[in-house]
Amino acid sequence: MLNPCDPAFVAALADVVPEGVLSAPEPRHLEEPRGRWTGQAGVLARPRTTAEVAALVRACAGARVGVVPVSGGTGLVGGQTLTLGPAPLLLSLERMVALRGIWPEENAMVVEAGMVLADVQAHAASVGRLFPLSLASEGSCRIGGNLASNAGGTAVLRYGNARDLCLGLEAVLPDGTVFNGLTRLRKDNAGYDLRHLLIGSEGTLGVITAASLKLFPLPAARVVALLAVPSPGAALDLLALCGERVAGLVSGFELISRTGFDFLAETGFDLRAPFDPVPDWLVLLELELPAGLEPEAVMAGLYEAGAGAGLVTDGVIATSEAQAAQLWALRETIPLANRRVGAVSSHDISLPLSAIPGFIAKAPGVIAGLGEFRVNCFGHLGDGNLHWNVFPARGHAKGEHEGVRDAVKTAVHDLVHSLGGSVAAEHGVGRLKVADLARYGDPGKLAAMRAIKAALDPAGIMNPGAVLG
């Protein structure tokens, strides 16, 4: 049983950390982007050093007070908000933003966990390198949260998830011990890899305080195209064609349905697809090219091959960085339009690539008897991650369907599970999907996870209620 972070405990903490670390939480620390939960906290701690983080966690462990780590606050599964139970200490690393070192000759850098993702990218670019993790929220999300949730983004197809971009970690474990694992080694088989245990653990096994990250050479050129395709199946065939003709050069392959563009127009965004009428399905394709290749010629060759195979019916190729940015803006603004429309139920899922066309065809049928809905399907087709979101019919509000929200989610997730997919693809489990993990998770895996949690955090202070409940 946990104890609350009450005034007496806060007073004791004031003797543990320097003045200015503790304060009352602001609304931004307690809210999540969709407004579904508002968290609670006895105090907000904003440490400046790893030693201060360790002192705070050690004190909480001794008093059996819960610790909820908060990063950029952009997560969509409630991992950063505790609404029930004893008030926790809210731990923000927003002051830990230092660049500890950068080694372009090694393609490596070490940054503190509070650094905003866009700043990580900028530091890499300043020495002629690329840090490829890219998300719509990169101007506000923080690298510690990206690693804690194993964020994916738009470039997973080429560079992998956050897990694949991390060489080492520094973290504070649940008893206040500091794990000093900031290696820059590419090979190190000296025992268990605690880095991969902490990445994706959503703050339930410790607090990431710094990370050693992989960098890559900047591409000599990039080219972006928006291509009309006859169907999701054709989009997959186009992806295979790209693999044959430009293997290893595809950095983005996004599937977008016409509904996304309908929502942009409906919600007042001044963004329009460069097609009239807008096709039912489009692919946003990005290539990153080495020196010696003409980007527009390479993309034109792909377009011609795709058209010749009946996989592409129309297309626009960006001829400047400004045009490329405009095409990406279409894709990245769709989630904002979704929020304005208001989803009945949102589904961040992944599927085996070959199962995606069948899922897209079958899924509307499994919710048809629950109400009249619109579906906006889009996502990172290259890595199998779809955002299959259900909305009320035009002229209706999501509140009219509150009574069937859970039934919609269950019907969709049951279909995903039956096809060998995951119901927690990119945003993690948090508190939103605890029941889903229990429903669909492998019993052996869940037993191992509980054993690990009990071994590292026997008092259950780290992000209580998240992931395993």
Coordinates of all heavy atoms in Angstrom, one line a residue, residues 85-146:
G85 N -6.1 7.0 -6.3 CA -5.1 6.5 -5.3 C -4.4 7.6 -4.6 O -4.7 8.8 -4.9
P86 N -3.4 7.3 -3.8 CA -2.7 8.3 -3.0 C -1.9 9.3 -4.0 O -1.4 8.8 -5.0 CB -1.7 7.5 -2.2 CG -2.3 6.1 -2.1 CD -3.0 5.9 -3.4
A87 N -2.0 10.6 -3.7 CA -1.3 11.5 -4.5 C 0.2 11.2 -4.6 O 0.9 11.0 -3.5 CB -1.5 12.9 -4.0
P88 N 0.8 11.2 -5.8 CA 2.2 10.9 -5.9 C 3.1 12.1 -6.0 O 2.6 13.3 -6.0 CB 2.3 10.2 -7.3 CG 1.2 11.0 -8.1 CD 0.1 11.3 -7.1
L89 N 4.4 11.9 -6.0 CA 5.3 12.9 -6.4 C 5.4 12.9 -7.9 O 5.6 11.9 -8.5 CB 6.7 12.7 -5.8 CG 7.8 13.7 -6.1 CD1 8.7 13.9 -5.0 CD2 8.7 13.1 -7.3
L90 N 5.2 14.1 -8.5 CA 5.3 14.2 -9.9 C 6.7 14.7 -10.3 O 7.2 15.7 -9.8 CB 4.3 15.3 -10.4 CG 4.0 15.3 -11.9 CD1 3.3 13.9 -12.3 CD2 3.0 16.4 -12.3
L91 N 7.4 13.9 -11.1 CA 8.9 14.1 -11.3 C 9.1 14.5 -12.8 O 8.9 13.7 -13.7 CB 9.6 12.8 -11.0 CG 11.2 12.9 -11.2 CD1 11.8 13.9 -10.3 CD2 11.8 11.5 -11.0
S92 N 9.4 15.8 -13.0 CA 9.7 16.3 -14.3 C 11.2 16.5 -14.5 O 11.8 17.1 -13.7 CB 8.9 17.6 -14.5 OG 9.3 18.2 -15.7
L93 N 11.7 16.1 -15.7 CA 13.1 16.3 -16.0 C 13.3 17.5 -16.9 O 14.3 17.6 -17.6 CB 13.7 15.0 -16.6 CG 13.7 13.8 -15.7 CD1 14.6 12.7 -16.3 CD2 14.1 14.1 -14.3
E94 N 12.3 18.4 -17.0 CA 12.4 19.5 -17.9 C 13.6 20.4 -17.7 O 13.9 21.2 -18.7 CB 11.1 20.3 -17.9 CG 10.8 21.0 -16.5 CD 9.4 21.5 -16.4 OE1 8.5 20.7 -16.2 OE2 9.2 22.8 -16.6
R95 N 14.2 20.4 -16.6 CA 15.4 21.2 -16.4 C 16.7 20.5 -16.8 O 17.8 21.1 -16.8 CB 15.5 21.6 -14.9 CG 14.5 22.7 -14.5 CD 14.6 22.9 -13.0 NE 13.9 24.2 -12.6 CZ 13.6 24.5 -11.4 NH1 14.0 23.7 -10.4 NH2 12.9 25.6 -11.1
M96 N 16.6 19.2 -17.0 CA 17.8 18.4 -17.4 C 17.9 18.3 -18.9 O 17.4 17.3 -19.5 CB 17.7 17.0 -16.7 CG 17.8 17.1 -15.2 SD 17.9 15.5 -14.4 CE 19.3 14.7 -15.1
V97 N 18.5 19.3 -19.5 CA 18.5 19.5 -20.9 C 19.9 19.6 -21.5 O 20.0 20.0 -22.7 CB 17.6 20.7 -21.3 CG1 16.2 20.5 -20.9 CG2 18.2 22.0 -20.7
A98 N 20.9 19.2 -20.8 CA 22.3 19.4 -21.3 C 22.7 18.4 -22.4 O 22.2 17.3 -22.4 CB 23.2 19.3 -20.1
L99 N 23.5 19.0 -23.3 CA 24.2 18.1 -24.2 C 25.5 17.7 -23.5 O 26.4 18.6 -23.3 CB 24.5 18.9 -25.5 CG 25.4 18.2 -26.5 CD1 24.8 16.9 -27.1 CD2 25.8 19.2 -27.6
R100 N 25.7 16.5 -23.1 CA 26.9 16.1 -22.4 C 28.1 15.8 -23.3 O 29.2 15.8 -22.8 CB 26.5 14.9 -21.5 CG 25.5 15.2 -20.4 CD 25.5 14.0 -19.4 NE 24.5 14.2 -18.4 CZ 24.2 13.3 -17.5 NH1 24.9 12.1 -17.5 NH2 23.3 13.5 -16.6
G101 N 27.8 15.5 -24.5 CA 28.9 15.3 -25.4 C 28.4 14.8 -26.8 O 27.3 14.3 -26.9
I102 N 29.2 15.1 -27.8 CA 28.8 14.7 -29.2 C 30.1 14.3 -29.9 O 31.1 15.0 -29.9 CB 28.0 15.8 -29.9 CG1 27.4 15.3 -31.2 CG2 28.8 17.1 -30.1 CD1 26.3 16.2 -31.8
W103 N 30.1 13.2 -30.6 CA 31.2 12.6 -31.3 C 30.8 12.3 -32.7 O 30.4 11.2 -33.0 CB 31.7 11.4 -30.6 CG 32.1 11.6 -29.1 CD1 33.4 11.8 -28.7 CD2 31.3 11.7 -28.0 NE1 33.4 12.0 -27.3 CE2 32.1 12.0 -26.9 CE3 29.9 11.6 -27.8 CZ2 31.6 12.1 -25.6 CZ3 29.4 11.7 -26.5 CH2 30.3 11.9 -25.4
P104 N 30.9 13.3 -33.6 CA 30.5 13.0 -35.0 C 31.2 11.9 -35.7 O 30.7 11.1 -36.5 CB 30.6 14.3 -35.7 CG 31.5 15.1 -34.8 CD 31.3 14.7 -33.4
E105 N 32.5 11.8 -35.3 CA 33.3 10.7 -35.9 C 32.9 9.3 -35.5 O 33.1 8.3 -36.1 CB 34.8 10.9 -35.6 CG 35.2 10.7 -34.1 CD 34.9 11.8 -33.2 OE1 34.2 12.8 -33.6 OE2 35.3 11.8 -32.0
E106 N 32.2 9.2 -34.3 CA 31.6 8.0 -33.8 C 30.2 7.8 -34.2 O 29.6 6.8 -33.9 CB 31.8 7.9 -32.3 CG 33.2 7.9 -31.8 CD 33.2 7.8 -30.2 OE1 32.1 7.4 -29.7 OE2 34.2 8.0 -29.7
N107 N 29.6 8.9 -34.7 CA 28.1 8.9 -34.9 C 27.4 8.7 -33.6 O 26.5 7.8 -33.5 CB 27.7 7.9 -36.0 CG 28.0 8.5 -37.4 OD1 27.7 9.6 -37.7 ND2 28.5 7.6 -38.2
A108 N 27.7 9.4 -32.6 CA 27.1 9.3 -31.2 C 27.0 10.6 -30.5 O 27.8 11.5 -30.8 CB 28.0 8.3 -30.4
M109 N 26.1 10.7 -29.6 CA 25.9 11.9 -28.8 C 25.3 11.4 -27.5 O 24.6 10.4 -27.4 CB 25.1 13.0 -29.4 CG 23.6 12.6 -29.6 SD 22.6 13.7 -30.6 CE 22.8 15.3 -29.8
V110 N 25.5 12.2 -26.4 CA 24.9 11.9 -25.1 C 24.2 13.2 -24.7 O 24.7 14.3 -24.6 CB 26.0 11.6 -24.0 CG1 25.4 11.4 -22.7 CG2 26.7 10.2 -24.4
V111 N 22.9 13.0 -24.4 CA 22.0 14.1 -24.0 C 21.3 13.7 -22.7 O 21.1 12.6 -22.4 CB 21.0 14.5 -25.1 CG1 21.8 14.8 -26.4 CG2 20.0 13.3 -25.3
E112 N 20.9 14.8 -22.0 CA 20.0 14.5 -20.8 C 18.6 14.3 -21.2 O 18.1 14.8 -22.3 CB 20.2 15.7 -19.8 CG 21.5 15.7 -19.2 CD 21.7 16.7 -18.1 OE1 20.9 17.7 -18.1 OE2 22.6 16.5 -17.2
A113 N 17.8 13.6 -20.4 CA 16.5 13.1 -20.8 C 15.5 14.2 -21.0 O 14.5 14.0 -21.7 CB 16.0 12.1 -19.7
G114 N 15.7 15.4 -20.4 CA 14.7 16.4 -20.6 C 14.8 17.2 -21.9 O 14.0 18.1 -22.2
M115 N 15.9 16.9 -22.7 CA 16.0 17.7 -23.9 C 14.9 17.4 -24.9 O 14.5 16.3 -25.1 CB 17.4 17.3 -24.6 CG 17.7 18.2 -25.8 SD 19.3 17.8 -26.6 CE 20.4 18.5 -25.4
V116 N 14.3 18.5 -25.5 CA 13.3 18.4 -26.4 C 13.8 17.7 -27.7 O 14.9 17.9 -28.1 CB 12.7 19.8 -26.8 CG1 11.7 19.7 -27.9 CG2 12.0 20.3 -25.5
L117 N 13.0 16.8 -28.3 CA 13.5 16.1 -29.5 C 14.0 17.0 -30.6 O 15.0 16.6 -31.2 CB 12.3 15.2 -30.0 CG 12.6 14.4 -31.2 CD1 13.8 13.5 -31.1 CD2 11.4 13.5 -31.6
A118 N 13.3 18.1 -30.9 CA 13.8 19.0 -31.9 C 15.2 19.5 -31.6 O 16.0 19.7 -32.5 CB 12.8 20.1 -32.1
D119 N 15.5 19.7 -30.3 CA 16.8 20.2 -30.0 C 17.9 19.1 -30.1 O 19.0 19.4 -30.5 CB 16.8 20.7 -28.5 CG 16.0 22.0 -28.4 OD1 15.8 22.7 -29.4 OD2 15.5 22.2 -27.2
V120 N 17.5 17.8 -29.9 CA 18.4 16.7 -30.2 C 18.7 16.7 -31.6 O 19.9 16.6 -32.0 CB 17.8 15.4 -29.7 CG1 18.7 14.2 -30.1 CG2 17.4 15.4 -28.2
Q121 N 17.7 16.8 -32.5 CA 17.9 16.9 -33.9 C 18.8 18.0 -34.3 O 19.7 17.8 -35.2 CB 16.6 17.0 -34.6 CG 15.6 15.8 -34.4 CD 14.2 16.1 -34.8 OE1 13.8 17.3 -35.0 NE2 13.4 15.1 -35.0
A122 N 18.6 19.2 -33.7 CA 19.4 20.4 -34.1 C 20.9 20.2 -33.7 O 21.8 20.6 -34.4 CB 18.8 21.6 -33.4
H123 N 21.1 19.7 -32.5 CA 22.5 19.4 -32.1 C 23.2 18.5 -33.0 O 24.4 18.7 -33.4 CB 22.5 18.8 -30.7 CG 22.3 19.9 -29.6 ND1 23.1 21.0 -29.4 CD2 21.4 19.9 -28.6 CE1 22.7 21.7 -28.4 NE2 21.6 21.1 -27.9
A124 N 22.5 17.4 -33.5 CA 23.1 16.5 -34.4 C 23.4 17.2 -35.8 O 24.5 17.1 -36.3 CB 22.2 15.3 -34.7
A125 N 22.4 18.0 -36.2 CA 22.6 18.7 -37.5 C 23.8 19.7 -37.4 O 24.5 20.0 -38.4 CB 21.3 19.4 -37.9
S126 N 24.0 20.3 -36.2 CA 25.1 21.3 -36.1 C 26.5 20.7 -36.4 O 27.4 21.4 -36.6 CB 25.1 21.9 -34.7 OG 25.5 21.0 -33.7
V127 N 26.6 19.4 -36.3 CA 27.9 18.7 -36.6 C 27.8 17.9 -37.8 O 28.6 16.9 -38.0 CB 28.4 17.9 -35.4 CG1 28.8 18.8 -34.2 CG2 27.4 16.8 -35.0
G128 N 26.8 18.1 -38.7 CA 26.6 17.4 -39.9 C 26.1 16.0 -39.8 O 26.5 15.2 -40.6
R129 N 25.3 15.8 -38.8 CA 24.8 14.4 -38.5 C 23.3 14.5 -38.4 O 22.7 15.6 -38.2 CB 25.4 13.8 -37.3 CG 26.9 13.5 -37.4 CD 27.1 12.4 -38.5 NE 28.5 12.1 -38.5 CZ 29.4 12.6 -39.4 NH1 29.0 13.6 -40.2 NH2 30.7 12.2 -39.4
L130 N 22.7 13.3 -38.5 CA 21.2 13.2 -38.5 C 20.8 12.3 -37.3 O 21.4 11.3 -37.1 CB 20.7 12.5 -39.7 CG 19.2 12.1 -39.8 CD1 18.3 13.3 -39.9 CD2 18.9 11.2 -40.9
F131 N 19.9 12.8 -36.4 CA 19.2 12.0 -35.5 C 17.8 11.8 -36.0 O 17.0 12.7 -36.1 CB 19.2 12.6 -34.1 CG 18.5 11.7 -33.1 CD1 19.1 10.5 -32.7 CD2 17.3 12.0 -32.5 CE1 18.5 9.6 -31.8 CE2 16.7 11.1 -31.6 CZ 17.3 9.9 -31.3
P132 N 17.5 10.6 -36.5 CA 16.3 10.4 -37.4 C 15.0 10.3 -36.7 O 14.0 10.2 -37.4 CB 16.7 9.2 -38.2 CG 17.5 8.4 -37.2 CD 18.3 9.4 -36.4
L133 N 14.9 10.1 -35.4 CA 13.6 10.0 -34.8 C 12.8 11.3 -35.1 O 13.3 12.4 -34.8 CB 13.7 9.8 -33.3 CG 12.4 9.6 -32.5 CD1 11.8 8.3 -32.9 CD2 12.7 9.6 -31.0
S134 N 11.6 11.2 -35.6 CA 10.8 12.3 -36.0 C 9.4 12.1 -35.8 O 8.8 11.1 -36.2 CB 11.0 12.6 -37.5 OG 10.3 13.8 -37.9
L135 N 8.7 13.0 -35.0 CA 7.3 12.9 -34.6 C 6.7 14.2 -34.8 O 7.3 15.3 -34.8 CB 7.2 12.5 -33.1 CG 8.1 11.4 -32.5 CD1 8.0 11.4 -31.0 CD2 7.6 10.1 -33.1
A136 N 5.4 14.2 -35.0 CA 4.6 15.4 -35.1 C 4.8 16.3 -33.9 O 4.8 17.6 -34.0 CB 3.1 15.1 -35.3
S137 N 5.0 15.7 -32.7 CA 5.2 16.5 -31.5 C 6.6 16.8 -31.1 O 6.9 17.1 -30.0 CB 4.6 15.7 -30.3 OG 5.2 14.4 -30.2
E138 N 7.5 16.7 -32.1 CA 9.0 16.8 -31.8 C 9.4 18.2 -31.2 O 10.4 18.3 -30.6 CB 9.8 16.5 -33.0 CG 9.6 17.4 -34.2 CD 10.2 16.8 -35.5 OE1 10.2 15.6 -35.6 OE2 10.6 17.6 -36.3
G139 N 8.5 19.2 -31.4 CA 8.8 20.5 -30.8 C 8.5 20.6 -29.3 O 8.9 21.6 -28.7
S140 N 7.9 19.6 -28.7 CA 7.6 19.6 -27.3 C 7.8 18.3 -26.6 O 8.1 18.3 -25.4 CB 6.1 20.0 -27.1 OG 5.2 19.1 -27.8
C141 N 7.8 17.2 -27.3 CA 8.2 15.9 -26.6 C 9.7 15.9 -26.2 O 10.5 16.6 -26.8 CB 7.8 14.7 -27.4 SG 8.7 14.5 -29.0
R142 N 10.0 15.1 -25.3 CA 11.4 15.0 -24.7 C 12.0 13.6 -24.9 O 11.3 12.6 -24.9 CB 11.4 15.5 -23.3 CG 10.9 16.9 -23.1 CD 10.9 17.3 -21.6 NE 10.2 18.6 -21.4 CZ 10.8 19.8 -21.6 NH1 12.1 19.8 -21.8 NH2 10.1 20.9 -21.4
I143 N 13.3 13.6 -25.1 CA 13.9 12.3 -25.5 C 13.7 11.3 -24.4 O 13.6 10.1 -24.7 CB 15.4 12.5 -25.8 CG1 16.0 11.3 -26.5 CG2 16.2 13.0 -24.6 CD1 15.4 11.0 -27.8
G144 N 13.7 11.6 -23.1 CA 13.5 10.6 -22.1 C 12.1 9.9 -22.2 O 12.0 8.7 -22.1
G145 N 11.1 10.7 -22.5 CA 9.8 10.1 -22.7 C 9.7 9.3 -24.0 O 9.1 8.3 -24.1
N146 N 10.5 9.8 -25.1 CA 10.5 9.0 -26.3 C 11.1 7.6 -26.1 O 10.6 6.6 -26.6 CB 11.4 9.7 -27.3 CG 10.9 11.1 -27.7 OD1 11.7 12.0 -28.0 ND2 9.6 11.3 -27.8

